[in-house]
């Protein structure tokens, strides 16, 4: 009886399969067109390998992703706006990492908005160190990606209170957020915790934010009953807070900086 191609390669020992894949990818043409000939599950193994090693580019990305893709990490890649347009075929994508390790400016706000609007199933999104992310970007994603539960906007200095209000109004399922080193104030934190996600938030990282004060601490600990982890380290205007006043059954970890 003839076997399908997927069954043939599954019978190969994992070490041999891994080595064969390395050889195949080493000799891959620049546009990666040969990847389209592979079964989807094997193509996804190649995708993960290329992602971890920074081998994804504008030329080969379109030939390695597929319609049923659930997770994509472009943080170590050389993909730019020219390649990001291919996300329009990834409507089932749930986990997307566009963080820039080297802090280069790769994606404009309009490009991110156009790409994210096609990814309506996104639940985990990392935009840390994407320096062109601004309020317009966050407002758009809050309206398109309403099922998002984990959002990293750390080191996005153009993000302000406008973005916090949009997230509070539209994102009902936010559980984990990192807004470190951006431009929000106490008013932005108030808008966020007054919104629909205050009952779902479990982890908040708000490090090195110059414009939040003890007021933000009080708001977060008072209005987020499921909070387990919160970090205010490096916030210069947060001082002498009596954290014991806000102890509850869920809170497990609080981070802050003690003035010397």
């Amino acid at each position: 009886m003839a076997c399908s191609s997927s069954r043939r390669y599954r019978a190969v020992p994992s070490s041999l399969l891994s080595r064969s894949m390395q050889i195949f990818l080493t000799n891959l043409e620049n546009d990666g067109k040969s990847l389209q000939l592979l079964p989807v599950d094997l193509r996804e193994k190649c995708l993960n390998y290329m992602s971890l090693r920074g081998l994804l580019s504008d030329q080969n990305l379109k030939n390695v992703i597929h319609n049923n893709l659930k997770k994509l990490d472009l943080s170590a890649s050389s993909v730019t706006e020219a390649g990001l347009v291919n996300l329009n075929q990834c409507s089932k994508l749930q986990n997307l990492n566009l963080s820039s390790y080297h802090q280069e400016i790769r994606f404009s706000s309009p490009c991110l908005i156009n790409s994210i609007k096609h990814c309506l199933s996104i639940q985990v999104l990392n935009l840390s160190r994407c320096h062109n992310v601004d309020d317009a970007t966050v407002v758009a994603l809050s309206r398109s990606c309403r099922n998002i539960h984990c959002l990293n906007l750390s080191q996005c200095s153009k993000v302000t209170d406008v973005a916090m209000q949009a997230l509070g109004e539209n994102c009902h399922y936010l559980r984990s957020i990192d807004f470190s080193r951006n431009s929000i104030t106490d008013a932005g934190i108030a808008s966020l915790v007054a919104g629909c996600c205050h009952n779902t938030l479990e982890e908040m990282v708000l490090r090195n934010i110059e414009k939040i004060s003890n007021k933000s601490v009080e708001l977060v600990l008072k209005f987020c009953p499921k909070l387990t982890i919160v970090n205010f380290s490096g916030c210069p205007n947060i001082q002498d807070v009596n954290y014991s006043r806000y102890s509850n059954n869920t809170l497990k970890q609080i981070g802050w900086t003690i003035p010397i």
Side-chain angles (χ1 to χ4, degrees):
M1 180 182 296
C3 296
S4 67
S5 59
S6 59
R7 289 183 181 177
R8 279 200 301 272
Y9 94 77
R10 283 178 184 148
V12 176
S14 58
S15 58
L16 179 56
L17 174 61
S18 177
R19 181 56 181 158
S20 299
M21 187 170 63
Q22 291 176 26
I23 295 172
F24 171 73
L25 292 174
T26 300
N27 294 281
L28 193 66
E29 63 273 27
N30 288 336
D31 63 3
K33 198 168 184 179
S34 299
L35 291 162
Q36 291 189 336
L37 303 175
L38 299 176
V40 169
D41 46 356
L42 186 52
R43 198 192 315 172
E44 191 152 339
K45 288 181 181 292
C46 290
L47 172 62
N48 293 335
Y49 180 94
M50 296 169 74
S51 175
L52 288 172
R53 289 158 180 80
L55 300 176
L56 293 173
S57 66
D58 292 338
Q59 290 74 29
N60 61 37
L61 182 64
K62 64 181 180 181
N63 290 316
V64 70
I65 59 177
H66 54 85
N67 294 339
N68 292 316
L69 189 66
K70 300 294 180 61
K71 182 177 180 179
L72 181 61
D73 185 348
L74 298 179
S75 59
S77 75
S78 62
V79 173
T80 67
E81 294 187 355
L84 205 63
V85 297
N86 293 292
L87 293 188
N88 60 10
Q89 62 176 293
C90 300
S91 60
K92 298 180 181 179
L93 197 63
Q94 297 178 4
N95 187 324
L96 177 61
N97 187 350
L98 297 178
S99 174
S100 295
Y101 283 152
H102 306 294
Q103 300 193 17
E104 71 273 25
I105 298 176
R106 294 192 290 167
F107 312 118
S108 67
S109 179
C111 171
L112 290 168
I113 291 171
N114 184 63
S115 298
I116 290 171
K117 73 180 181 181
H118 297 287
C119 304
L120 304 181
S121 300
I122 285 288
Q123 297 178 14
V124 179
L125 180 61
N126 188 344
L127 295 175
S128 63
R129 297 184 293 273
C130 289
H131 298 299
N132 280 331
V133 168
D134 56 15
D135 290 334
T137 317
V138 182
V139 170
L141 78 85
S142 74
R143 293 171 178 170
S144 299
C145 309
R146 292 178 179 264
N147 291 321
I148 195 165
H149 60 70
C150 181
L151 178 62
N152 190 335
L153 296 174
S154 63
Q155 300 186 53
C156 297
S157 59
K158 296 180 181 179
V159 171
T160 73
D161 295 342
V162 174
M164 298 301 101
Q165 182 174 352
L167 292 171
E169 291 175 352
N170 299 315
C171 298
H172 293 245
Y173 307 107
L174 271 178
R175 296 204 303 262
S176 175
I177 57 175
D178 188 342
F179 299 151
S180 301
R181 295 183 185 274
N182 58 31
S183 301
I184 61 177
T185 71
D186 291 333
I189 297 296
S191 296
L192 181 69
V193 301
C196 50
C197 62
H198 77 279
N199 273 324
T200 60
L201 281 168
E202 299 175 3
E203 179 177 359
M204 299 181 70
V205 181
L206 302 166
R207 297 180 300 162
N208 299 291
I209 302 177
E210 295 183 358
K211 297 179 182 180
I212 63 174
S213 68
N214 290 17
K215 181 65 175 177
S216 287
V217 179
E218 296 171 3
L219 289 167
V220 166
L221 298 181
K222 182 177 181 180
F223 293 106
C224 300
K226 293 185 178 180
L227 203 63
T228 60
I229 298 173
V230 62
N231 193 331
F232 296 104
S233 299
C235 298
N237 293 313
I238 294 179
Q239 303 176 23
D240 301 324
V241 178
N242 182 6
Y243 290 92
S244 61
R245 290 175 52 200
Y246 305 99
S247 60
N248 56 48
N249 294 328
T250 62
L251 201 58
K252 297 178 180 178
Q253 179 179 325
I254 303 177
W256 73 95
T257 300
I258 300 174
I260 298 176

